[in-house]
Amino acid sequence: MRQIAILGATGSIGGSTLDVIAQHPDRFRASVLTAHRNVAALAELCARHQPQLAIIADPALEAELARRLAAAGVRCDVASGMDAIAAAAAGSLCDTVVAAIVGAAGLDSSLAAARAGKRLLLANKESIVMAGPLLLEALRVGGGELIPVDSEHNAIFQCLPGGRPDLAKSGVRRLLLTASGGPFRGRTRAQLSDVTPDQACKHPKWSMGRKISVDSATLMNKGLEVIEAHHLFSAPVEAIEVLVHPQSMVHSLVEYVDGSVLAQLGNPDMRTALAHALAWPERVSSGVAPLDLAAAEPLHFEPPDLATFRCLALAFQALREGGDAPAILNAANEVAVEAFLAGALPFLSIADVVESVLTELPAQAVVDIQTLGERDRAARTAARRVLRNAC
């Protein structure tokens, strides 16, 4: 039986993972559950799934979590802080880690799981965007395995022989990442000048947290996925393309040199990718309804509008620059999105902030996690300065 730590259990990925686990109590157990600050939701999940350890990231809330668990009659250890989450990811209570903490905050725990030789189900794309070479080296040293659970990368994983082979030797010509286009597909820049946070968070196909929903609306999420695909599959930037596919049924495609194109299809539900990653190389039921192609709407594909959705173009630019440019991109974007959600930055200015920070901080080599952390903080400081100057 696999013992699974779910880092970010109260989010959408965490909920989908727990749903799959609950369908297979003979195969999987949720042994560790963590949350950022949502004590009530974490306590409720603990009462339902009975983990051995519950961790709240905010130490000020540990006593409240312990009180709620005791009142509910839940017997499990309680801890708090990001260091405790990283320790649990590397610890003996789990052999599998679902890394679903949003943003740069999930990096340390993803690295800890990799170094400890765990099966790492990576939903925290920022970890590999920021520190791709360091994460892959940690996996190599630790002897663990990484299985992507972003629907696009999981689709590519399924369409490649052996999951993550040498692409050149496997006859792969291109990786084609599909994008829904978000809630604003087809709109012009003029039509996006007064977009509100609530409008940006209304994704047409997926139910996600607010930060990732905004990233989907700007297409930055797809840009981060391009960078992730580069690291996951050792694909050069010129071999990665994005196709807008609003039906979200084709999750990604792999084109081979003989003209064959393999695609992974399914209803837009993260439980499919999670069930695949949890059971790999076997297959188990995910609880997702079968795809009825005869009843489905026609499938449509189009190139992305890089002039309107500039964040995707900036992600390609950062990948071409190399080094820590993707980390700079990610940090600046997190600050800009936070400002947009707070009503302090127009939607279209998110890309302007990111571009300014990339210009101010030219790429440097990725040396170690300490240096990367310093550069991440420098990028956030620069982004906040850009915001202040813009107000």
Side-chain angles (χ1 to χ4, degrees):
M1 176 179 287
R2 286 202 166 270
Q3 304 293 323
I4 300 164
I6 305 176
L7 313 185
T10 58
S12 59
I13 295 293
S16 294
T17 304
L18 287 166
D19 186 77
V20 174
I21 289 173
Q23 295 179 55
H24 303 280
D26 57 326
R27 298 181 65 111
F28 311 123
R29 181 191 178 188
S31 57
V32 179
L33 300 180
T34 85
H36 178 46
R37 300 191 78 254
N38 196 337
V39 173
L42 181 57
E44 182 180 339
L45 291 176
C46 290
R48 192 180 313 155
H49 297 280
Q50 299 292 313
Q52 294 170 270
L53 174 62
I55 307 175
I56 193 78
D58 187 343
L61 297 173
E62 181 177 346
E64 173 67 9
L65 176 60
R67 185 191 67 77
R68 286 178 177 268
L69 292 177
V74 178
R75 295 182 178 180
C76 74
D77 292 331
V78 176
S80 65
M82 298 305 293
D83 287 346
I85 293 176
S92 61
L93 293 181
C94 64
D95 52 55
T96 301
V97 174
V98 178
I101 296 173
V102 176
L107 175 58
D108 286 346
S109 51
S110 295
L111 284 169
R115 294 189 192 105
K118 309 292 184 176
R119 170 175 286 190
L120 178 60
L121 274 56
L122 190 66
N124 170 257
K125 63 176 60 66
E126 290 86 355
S127 292
I128 199 162
V129 166
M130 290 177 63
L134 300 180
L135 182 60
L136 295 177
E137 176 62 13
L139 283 162
R140 187 191 67 77
V141 172
E145 55 189 355
L146 188 157
I147 302 179
V149 294
D150 269 343
S151 59
E152 296 81 2
H153 302 96
N154 185 264
I156 290 172
F157 185 92
Q158 293 190 49
C159 291
L160 290 172
R164 292 172 57 205
D166 183 315
L167 295 193
K169 294 180 180 178
S170 300
V172 172
R173 177 182 288 147
R174 290 187 300 168
L175 305 181
L176 298 165
L177 293 169
T178 56
S180 70
F184 305 135
R185 182 180 68 89
R187 296 198 192 184
T188 64
R189 288 183 63 81
Q191 293 170 323
L192 297 176
S193 60
D194 57 354
V195 162
T196 68
D198 285 344
Q199 289 172 327
C201 290
K202 288 183 179 178
H203 194 280
K205 292 292 183 180
W206 302 98
S207 175
M208 306 178 291
R210 287 175 72 79
K211 192 269 180 183
I212 193 173
S213 293
V214 174
D215 282 349
S216 180
T218 64
L219 293 194
M220 178 61 88
N221 192 53
K222 200 54 50 179
L224 298 177
E225 289 175 4
V226 166
I227 298 169
E228 185 178 1
H230 162 73
H231 290 298
L232 285 174
F233 306 112
S234 300
V237 62
E238 60 271 14
I240 306 172
E241 295 188 22
V242 172
L243 275 178
V244 174
H245 168 53
Q247 292 77 31
S248 296
M249 291 184 195
V250 178
H251 298 300
S252 277
L253 312 92
V254 176
E255 179 185 309
Y256 289 85
V257 293
D258 61 4
S260 299
V261 179
L262 301 186
Q264 189 266 336
L265 287 76
N267 282 314
D269 191 314
M270 285 303 302
R271 291 177 297 172
T272 299
L274 286 160
H276 169 265
L278 286 167
W280 186 83
E282 300 178 58
R283 298 270 183 172
V284 297
S285 171
S286 65
V288 177
L291 181 61
D292 186 350
L293 286 173
E297 57 186 312
L299 303 184
H300 173 75
F301 301 90
E302 64 189 46
D305 179 357
L306 298 180
T308 300
F309 299 96
R310 295 177 53 239
C311 284
L312 178 55
L314 290 170
F316 271 105
Q317 174 187 321
L319 181 56
R320 291 188 181 96
E321 289 179 7
D324 63 5
I328 301 299
L329 172 100
N330 178 71
N333 180 66
E334 287 191 12
V335 172
V337 170
E338 183 180 8
F340 167 69
L341 287 171
L345 184 72
F347 179 77
L348 289 174
S349 295
I350 293 173
D352 296 334
V353 172
V354 174
E355 184 174 37
S356 294
V357 176
L358 283 172
T359 301
E360 181 177 335
L361 300 174
Q364 297 180 6
V366 176
V367 178
D368 52 40
I369 194 65
Q370 291 77 21
T371 304
L372 196 62
E374 292 170 2
R375 291 281 285 174
D376 176 84
R377 289 188 289 274
R380 291 171 193 275
T381 298
R384 294 186 184 103
R385 184 171 58 254
V386 171
L387 288 171
R388 287 194 300 271
N389 292 339
C391 294

